[in-house]
Protein backbone atom coordinates (compact mmCIF):
# COMPACT_ATOMS: atom_id res chain seq x y z
CA UNK A 1 0.00 0.00 0.00
CA UNK A 2 1.03 3.60 -0.51
CA UNK A 3 2.94 5.53 2.16
CA UNK A 4 0.35 7.11 4.52
CA UNK A 5 2.17 10.46 4.73
CA UNK A 6 4.67 10.64 1.83
CA UNK A 7 5.37 14.38 2.17
CA UNK A 8 5.29 14.50 5.97
CA UNK A 9 2.25 16.80 6.07
CA UNK A 10 0.55 14.95 8.92
CA UNK A 11 3.86 14.76 10.76
CA UNK A 12 4.22 18.55 10.50
CA UNK A 13 0.66 19.04 11.79
CA UNK A 14 1.34 16.94 14.87
CA UNK A 15 4.77 18.53 15.45
CA UNK A 16 3.22 22.01 15.30
CA UNK A 17 0.52 21.00 17.81
CA UNK A 18 3.12 19.53 20.18
CA UNK A 19 5.21 22.67 19.89
CA UNK A 20 2.17 24.82 20.67
CA UNK A 21 0.95 22.69 23.58
CA UNK A 22 4.20 21.58 25.24
CA UNK A 23 4.46 24.62 27.52
CA UNK A 24 1.10 23.62 29.07
CA UNK A 25 2.28 20.07 29.70
CA UNK A 26 5.33 21.24 31.63
CA UNK A 27 3.74 24.14 33.52
CA UNK A 28 3.21 23.63 37.26
CA UNK A 29 -0.07 24.80 38.76
CA UNK A 30 -1.14 24.08 42.32
CA UNK A 31 -0.72 20.41 43.14
CA UNK A 32 0.04 19.63 39.48
CA UNK A 33 3.82 19.80 39.09
CA UNK A 34 3.98 19.50 35.32
CA UNK A 35 5.61 16.80 33.22
CA UNK A 36 9.37 16.76 32.65
CA UNK A 37 9.06 14.21 29.87
CA UNK A 38 6.25 12.47 28.02
CA UNK A 39 5.93 9.45 25.74
CA UNK A 40 4.27 9.50 22.33
CA UNK A 41 2.40 6.60 20.75
CA UNK A 42 1.48 7.07 17.08
CA UNK A 43 -0.77 4.32 15.83
CA UNK A 44 0.58 2.43 12.81
CA UNK A 45 4.02 4.03 13.03
CA UNK A 46 4.61 2.79 16.59
CA UNK A 47 3.70 -0.81 15.73
CA UNK A 48 5.55 -3.37 13.63
CA UNK A 49 3.94 -3.38 10.18
CA UNK A 50 4.16 -5.76 7.23
CA UNK A 51 6.60 -5.08 4.40
CA UNK A 52 4.83 -2.81 1.86
CA UNK A 53 7.24 -3.99 -0.86
CA UNK A 54 5.58 -7.42 -0.70
CA UNK A 55 2.00 -6.18 -0.96
CA UNK A 56 0.10 -7.84 -3.82
CA UNK A 57 -2.59 -5.53 -5.24
CA UNK A 58 -4.39 -8.53 -6.74
CA UNK A 59 -4.97 -10.01 -3.29
CA UNK A 60 -7.57 -7.46 -2.19
CA UNK A 61 -11.39 -7.49 -2.27
CA UNK A 62 -11.37 -4.53 -4.66
CA UNK A 63 -9.30 -6.45 -7.21
CA UNK A 64 -11.70 -9.38 -7.36
CA UNK A 65 -14.59 -9.55 -9.84
CA UNK A 66 -17.90 -8.73 -8.20
CA UNK A 67 -19.07 -12.33 -8.47
CA UNK A 68 -16.00 -13.59 -6.59
CA UNK A 69 -15.77 -10.88 -3.95
CA UNK A 70 -18.12 -12.47 -1.41
CA UNK A 71 -16.24 -15.76 -1.45
CA UNK A 72 -12.93 -13.91 -1.18
CA UNK A 73 -14.12 -11.97 1.87
CA UNK A 74 -15.22 -15.25 3.45
CA UNK A 75 -11.75 -16.70 2.79
CA UNK A 76 -10.18 -13.64 4.44
CA UNK A 77 -12.38 -14.06 7.51
CA UNK A 78 -11.49 -17.76 7.72
CA UNK A 79 -7.80 -16.95 7.13
CA UNK A 80 -7.67 -19.17 4.05
CA UNK A 81 -6.55 -16.05 2.17
CA UNK A 82 -4.65 -13.00 3.35
CA UNK A 83 -5.15 -9.35 2.49
CA UNK A 84 -2.17 -8.35 0.34
CA UNK A 85 -1.14 -11.97 -0.19
CA UNK A 86 0.62 -14.63 1.86
CA UNK A 87 4.15 -13.19 1.42
CA UNK A 88 2.90 -9.84 2.68
CA UNK A 89 1.13 -11.51 5.61
CA UNK A 90 4.28 -13.42 6.62
CA UNK A 91 6.73 -10.53 6.19
CA UNK A 92 7.04 -9.85 9.93
CA UNK A 93 9.30 -12.00 12.10
CA UNK A 94 7.72 -14.12 14.82
CA UNK A 95 9.02 -11.70 17.44
CA UNK A 96 7.51 -8.74 15.57
CA UNK A 97 4.16 -10.54 15.17
CA UNK A 98 4.10 -11.31 18.89
CA UNK A 99 4.84 -7.69 19.79
CA UNK A 100 2.18 -6.45 17.36
CA UNK A 101 -0.43 -8.87 18.72
CA UNK A 102 0.38 -7.99 22.32
CA UNK A 103 -0.01 -4.27 21.58
CA UNK A 104 -3.23 -4.78 19.63
CA UNK A 105 -4.97 -6.97 22.19
CA UNK A 106 -3.46 -5.95 25.53
CA UNK A 107 -2.04 -2.42 25.63
CA UNK A 108 -3.01 -0.24 22.63
CA UNK A 109 -6.43 0.70 23.99
CA UNK A 110 -4.76 2.20 27.07
CA UNK A 111 -3.13 4.86 24.91
CA UNK A 112 -6.49 5.96 23.55
CA UNK A 113 -8.81 5.43 26.48
CA UNK A 114 -6.89 6.05 29.70
CA UNK A 115 -7.90 9.18 31.62
CA UNK A 116 -4.25 10.18 31.92
CA UNK A 117 -3.42 10.35 28.20
CA UNK A 118 -3.92 13.15 25.69
CA UNK A 119 -5.13 12.18 22.21
CA UNK A 120 -4.60 14.11 18.97
CA UNK A 121 -6.99 13.22 16.14
CA UNK A 122 -5.98 13.80 12.51
CA UNK A 123 -9.47 13.98 11.04
CA UNK A 124 -8.62 15.93 7.88
CA UNK A 125 -6.74 14.38 4.98
CA UNK A 126 -3.80 16.54 3.85
CA UNK A 127 -3.95 18.39 0.55
CA UNK A 128 -3.02 16.08 -2.31
CA UNK A 129 -3.83 12.87 -0.42
CA UNK A 130 -4.92 9.95 -2.64
CA UNK A 131 -6.61 8.11 0.22
CA UNK A 132 -10.24 7.40 -0.68
CA UNK A 133 -11.61 6.70 2.81
CA UNK A 134 -11.74 9.65 5.20
CA UNK A 135 -11.44 9.64 8.98
CA UNK A 136 -15.19 9.59 9.64
CA UNK A 137 -15.73 6.69 7.21
CA UNK A 138 -12.97 4.40 8.47
CA UNK A 139 -13.63 1.58 10.93
CA UNK A 140 -10.29 1.72 12.72
CA UNK A 141 -10.32 5.49 13.24
CA UNK A 142 -13.90 5.22 14.54
CA UNK A 143 -12.63 2.69 17.08
CA UNK A 144 -9.80 5.01 18.09
CA UNK A 145 -12.01 8.08 18.40
CA UNK A 146 -14.73 6.34 20.40
CA UNK A 147 -12.10 4.81 22.70
CA UNK A 148 -10.55 8.22 23.33
CA UNK A 149 -13.87 9.89 24.11
CA UNK A 150 -15.41 7.30 26.42
CA UNK A 151 -14.15 8.19 29.92
CA UNK A 152 -11.79 11.18 29.66
CA UNK A 153 -12.59 14.43 31.43
CA UNK A 154 -13.50 17.31 29.15
CA UNK A 155 -12.07 20.11 31.28
CA UNK A 156 -8.97 19.88 33.46
CA UNK A 157 -9.09 22.29 36.41
CA UNK A 158 -5.36 22.34 37.13
CA UNK A 159 -3.65 21.10 33.98
CA UNK A 160 -4.97 23.52 31.36
CA UNK A 161 -5.30 21.49 28.19
CA UNK A 162 -7.80 19.31 26.36
CA UNK A 163 -7.43 15.55 26.62
CA UNK A 164 -8.90 15.02 23.13
CA UNK A 165 -7.89 17.47 20.40
CA UNK A 166 -9.08 17.41 16.80
CA UNK A 167 -6.22 18.80 14.70
CA UNK A 168 -8.34 18.71 11.56
CA UNK A 169 -11.45 20.42 12.93
CA UNK A 170 -12.71 23.55 11.24
CA UNK A 171 -14.83 24.41 14.26
CA UNK A 172 -13.58 25.15 17.77
CA UNK A 173 -11.62 22.32 19.36
CA UNK A 174 -13.97 22.64 22.34
CA UNK A 175 -16.85 21.50 20.14
CA UNK A 176 -15.00 18.63 18.52
CA UNK A 177 -15.36 16.23 21.47
CA UNK A 178 -18.06 13.59 21.19
CA UNK A 179 -20.17 11.97 23.93
CA UNK A 180 -19.26 8.40 24.94
CA UNK A 181 -20.41 5.36 23.01
CA UNK A 182 -20.91 1.93 24.59
CA UNK A 183 -20.18 -1.43 22.92
CA UNK A 184 -23.73 -2.15 21.71
CA UNK A 185 -24.06 1.24 20.03
CA UNK A 186 -20.51 0.92 18.70
CA UNK A 187 -21.38 -2.36 16.97
CA UNK A 188 -24.13 -0.59 15.07
CA UNK A 189 -21.99 2.47 14.34
CA UNK A 190 -18.95 0.60 13.03
CA UNK A 191 -21.03 -1.71 10.83
CA UNK A 192 -21.46 1.24 8.47
CA UNK A 193 -17.72 2.00 8.29
CA UNK A 194 -15.09 0.82 5.83
CA UNK A 195 -12.17 -1.50 6.54
CA UNK A 196 -9.22 -2.14 4.25
CA UNK A 197 -9.35 -5.75 5.35
CA UNK A 198 -12.99 -6.87 5.54
CA UNK A 199 -12.11 -9.40 8.24
CA UNK A 200 -11.17 -6.57 10.63
CA UNK A 201 -14.72 -5.46 11.44
CA UNK A 202 -15.50 -8.22 13.93
CA UNK A 203 -12.04 -7.93 15.47
CA UNK A 204 -12.62 -4.21 16.07
CA UNK A 205 -16.03 -4.87 17.62
CA UNK A 206 -14.49 -7.46 19.96
CA UNK A 207 -11.63 -5.12 20.93
CA UNK A 208 -14.02 -2.27 21.68
CA UNK A 209 -16.33 -4.44 23.78
CA UNK A 210 -13.41 -5.79 25.81
CA UNK A 211 -12.04 -2.29 26.36
CA UNK A 212 -15.46 -0.86 27.30
CA UNK A 213 -16.28 -3.62 29.78
CA UNK A 214 -12.88 -3.29 31.43
CA UNK A 215 -12.70 0.47 31.79
CA UNK A 216 -16.37 1.34 32.37
CA UNK A 217 -16.63 -1.50 34.85
CA UNK A 218 -13.71 -0.20 36.91
CA UNK A 219 -14.21 3.58 36.78
CA UNK A 220 -15.30 5.45 39.93
CA UNK A 221 -15.68 8.94 38.49
CA UNK A 222 -16.94 10.29 35.16
CA UNK A 223 -16.66 14.02 34.55
CA UNK A 224 -18.22 15.56 31.43
CA UNK A 225 -18.51 19.10 32.82
CA UNK A 226 -18.41 21.73 30.07
CA UNK A 227 -19.17 19.47 27.11
CA UNK A 228 -21.63 20.50 24.41
CA UNK A 229 -25.32 19.78 25.15
CA UNK A 230 -26.09 16.10 24.46
CA UNK A 231 -28.66 15.27 21.81
CA UNK A 232 -31.21 12.56 22.53
CA UNK A 233 -29.01 10.14 20.54
CA UNK A 234 -26.03 11.13 22.70
CA UNK A 235 -28.15 10.54 25.81
CA UNK A 236 -29.15 7.06 24.64
CA UNK A 237 -25.50 6.15 24.08
CA UNK A 238 -24.42 7.61 27.42
CA UNK A 239 -27.09 5.55 29.13
CA UNK A 240 -25.70 2.43 27.49
CA UNK A 241 -22.27 3.27 28.91
CA UNK A 242 -23.62 3.94 32.40
CA UNK A 243 -25.19 0.48 32.48
CA UNK A 244 -21.63 -0.91 32.55
CA UNK A 245 -20.40 1.40 35.34
CA UNK A 246 -20.74 -1.08 38.20
CA UNK A 247 -18.69 0.86 40.75
CA UNK A 248 -19.23 4.45 39.58
CA UNK A 249 -19.51 6.84 42.55
CA UNK A 250 -19.40 10.35 41.03
CA UNK A 251 -21.04 11.54 37.80
CA UNK A 252 -20.59 15.14 36.64
CA UNK A 253 -23.16 16.33 34.10
CA UNK A 254 -23.06 19.97 35.14
CA UNK A 255 -22.23 22.64 32.59
CA UNK A 256 -23.62 20.58 29.69
CA UNK A 257 -27.08 22.18 29.50
CA UNK A 258 -28.82 18.83 29.90
CA UNK A 259 -32.36 19.24 28.55
CA UNK A 260 -35.45 17.64 30.11
CA UNK A 261 -35.87 15.45 27.03
CA UNK A 262 -32.24 14.29 26.99
CA UNK A 263 -32.47 13.58 30.72
CA UNK A 264 -35.64 11.54 30.24
CA UNK A 265 -34.05 9.51 27.43
CA UNK A 266 -30.81 9.03 29.36
CA UNK A 267 -32.38 7.61 32.50
CA UNK A 268 -34.96 5.55 30.63
CA UNK A 269 -32.00 3.74 29.05
CA UNK A 270 -30.65 2.62 32.43
CA UNK A 271 -31.20 -1.02 33.30
CA UNK A 272 -32.66 -2.09 36.62
CA UNK A 273 -29.91 -2.03 39.24
CA UNK A 274 -27.61 0.23 37.19
CA UNK A 275 -25.44 2.79 39.03
CA UNK A 276 -26.03 0.97 42.33
CA UNK A 277 -22.91 2.57 43.87
CA UNK A 278 -23.51 6.13 42.66
CA UNK A 279 -23.12 8.57 45.54
CA UNK A 280 -23.33 11.96 43.82
CA UNK A 281 -24.76 13.22 40.54
CA UNK A 282 -24.03 16.81 39.53
CA UNK A 283 -26.40 18.71 37.21
CA UNK A 284 -27.12 22.40 36.62
CA UNK A 285 -30.80 22.68 37.38
CA UNK A 286 -33.81 21.11 39.01
CA UNK A 287 -35.04 18.48 36.52
CA UNK A 288 -38.34 16.85 37.56
CA UNK A 289 -37.63 13.74 35.50
CA UNK A 290 -34.29 13.32 37.25
CA UNK A 291 -35.86 13.67 40.70
CA UNK A 292 -38.41 11.03 39.81
CA UNK A 293 -35.77 8.55 38.65
CA UNK A 294 -33.61 9.15 41.74
CA UNK A 295 -36.57 8.58 44.06
CA UNK A 296 -37.49 5.38 42.25
CA UNK A 297 -33.94 4.11 42.59
CA UNK A 298 -33.52 5.31 46.18
Amino acid sequence: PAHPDPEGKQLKTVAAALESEKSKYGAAKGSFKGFKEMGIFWDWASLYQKDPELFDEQETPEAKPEGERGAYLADLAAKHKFYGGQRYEESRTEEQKKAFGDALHNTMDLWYAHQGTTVYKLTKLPTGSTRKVGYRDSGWTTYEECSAEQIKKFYLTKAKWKLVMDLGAEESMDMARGWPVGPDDFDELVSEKKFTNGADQQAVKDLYRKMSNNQLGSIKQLDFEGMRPPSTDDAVRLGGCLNLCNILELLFLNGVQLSDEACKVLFSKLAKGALANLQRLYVDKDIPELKKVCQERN
Side-chain angles (χ1 to χ4, degrees):
H3 193 291
D5 190 25
E7 298 178 22
K9 292 178 180 179
Q10 298 287 54
L11 177 62
K12 291 176 183 176
T13 297
V14 172
L18 286 169
E19 185 67 29
S20 173
E21 295 290 306
K22 69 177 183 180
S23 61
K24 301 176 186 177
Y25 302 150
K29 184 175 178 62
S31 60
F32 175 64
K33 303 304 181 184
F35 294 116
K36 293 184 178 179
E37 62 179 7
M38 297 178 72
I40 296 175
F41 171 82
W42 194 325
D43 189 19
W44 202 88
S46 293
L47 301 174
Y48 286 114
Q49 300 297 330
K50 300 164 190 172
D51 186 350
E53 296 294 326
L54 299 179
F55 185 80
D56 184 351
E57 294 281 357
Q58 298 305 309
E59 289 298 325
T60 65
E62 296 77 16
K64 302 302 178 184
E66 188 172 343
E68 299 176 14
R69 197 167 300 154
Y72 184 76
L73 287 171
D75 282 341
L76 287 178
K79 299 191 181 303
H80 297 151
K81 299 279 187 180
F82 300 99
Y83 182 81
Q86 188 162 348
R87 291 183 65 216
Y88 177 65
E89 175 67 23
E90 296 174 350
S91 58
R92 283 181 292 219
T93 66
E94 287 303 314
E95 185 178 6
Q96 290 171 345
K97 286 172 63 177
K98 184 177 182 300
F100 179 87
D102 189 54
L104 182 65
H105 296 289
N106 299 321
T107 62
M108 189 173 71
D109 55 349
L110 288 175
W111 287 95
Y112 302 125
H114 196 281
Q115 289 184 319
T117 61
T118 299
V119 175
Y120 290 176
K121 301 186 299 181
L122 290 159
T123 58
K124 185 178 180 181
L125 293 174
T127 303
S129 172
T130 58
R131 182 178 171 87
K132 296 178 182 179
V133 180
Y135 187 95
R136 302 295 178 197
D137 300 317
S138 169
W140 276 107
T141 49
T142 298
Y143 162 79
E144 293 153 7
E145 181 175 50
C146 289
S147 297
E149 294 177 340
Q150 196 176 72
I151 66 170
K152 292 184 190 298
K153 291 181 69 174
F154 180 74
Y155 177 77
L156 298 176
T157 55
K158 295 177 180 177
K160 299 293 186 180
W161 69 82
K162 299 297 179 186
L163 291 178
V164 182
M165 295 176 59
D166 186 346
L167 304 189
E170 298 293 338
E171 71 273 24
S172 163
M173 284 184 182
D174 290 0
M175 299 298 291
R177 173 78 178 269
W179 283 87
V181 176
D184 290 341
D185 290 306
F186 179 80
D187 283 356
E188 183 178 346
L189 178 66
V190 84
S191 293
E192 302 171 357
K193 305 301 180 180
K194 293 181 171 60
F195 290 88
T196 304
N197 183 348
D200 282 352
Q201 186 179 110
Q202 188 57 50
V204 167
K205 289 180 179 180
D206 292 343
L207 284 171
Y208 193 82
R209 185 168 295 276
K210 175 186 174 185
M211 181 272 299
S212 298
N213 288 335
N214 287 341
Q215 70 176 11
L216 290 171
S218 60
I219 199 76
K220 291 187 176 183
Q221 176 176 318
L222 283 175
D223 188 349
F224 302 113
E225 179 183 359
M227 281 190 58
R228 60 173 174 79
S231 66
T232 53
D233 286 342
D234 293 328
V236 167
R237 290 172 173 176
L238 176 59
C241 290
L242 294 179
N243 281 330
L244 299 177
C245 295
N246 301 322
I247 63 172
L248 187 70
E249 297 175 354
L250 301 176
L251 176 59
F252 294 83
L253 292 174
N254 49 317
V256 305
Q257 301 176 45
L258 185 67
S259 68
D260 291 358
E261 183 61 26
C263 181
K264 182 177 181 179
V265 170
L266 167 61
F267 287 98
S268 68
K269 179 71 175 178
L270 293 183
K272 185 177 181 179
L275 298 181
N277 288 296
L278 190 67
Q279 298 174 10
R280 293 186 182 181
L281 169 62
Y282 296 88
V283 292
D284 292 315
K285 62 180 182 177
D286 185 6
I287 303 176
E289 183 67 29
L290 177 57
K291 274 190 173 181
K292 179 182 176 182
V293 172
C294 288
Q295 288 169 352
E296 289 174 352
R297 293 170 180 267
N298 195 26

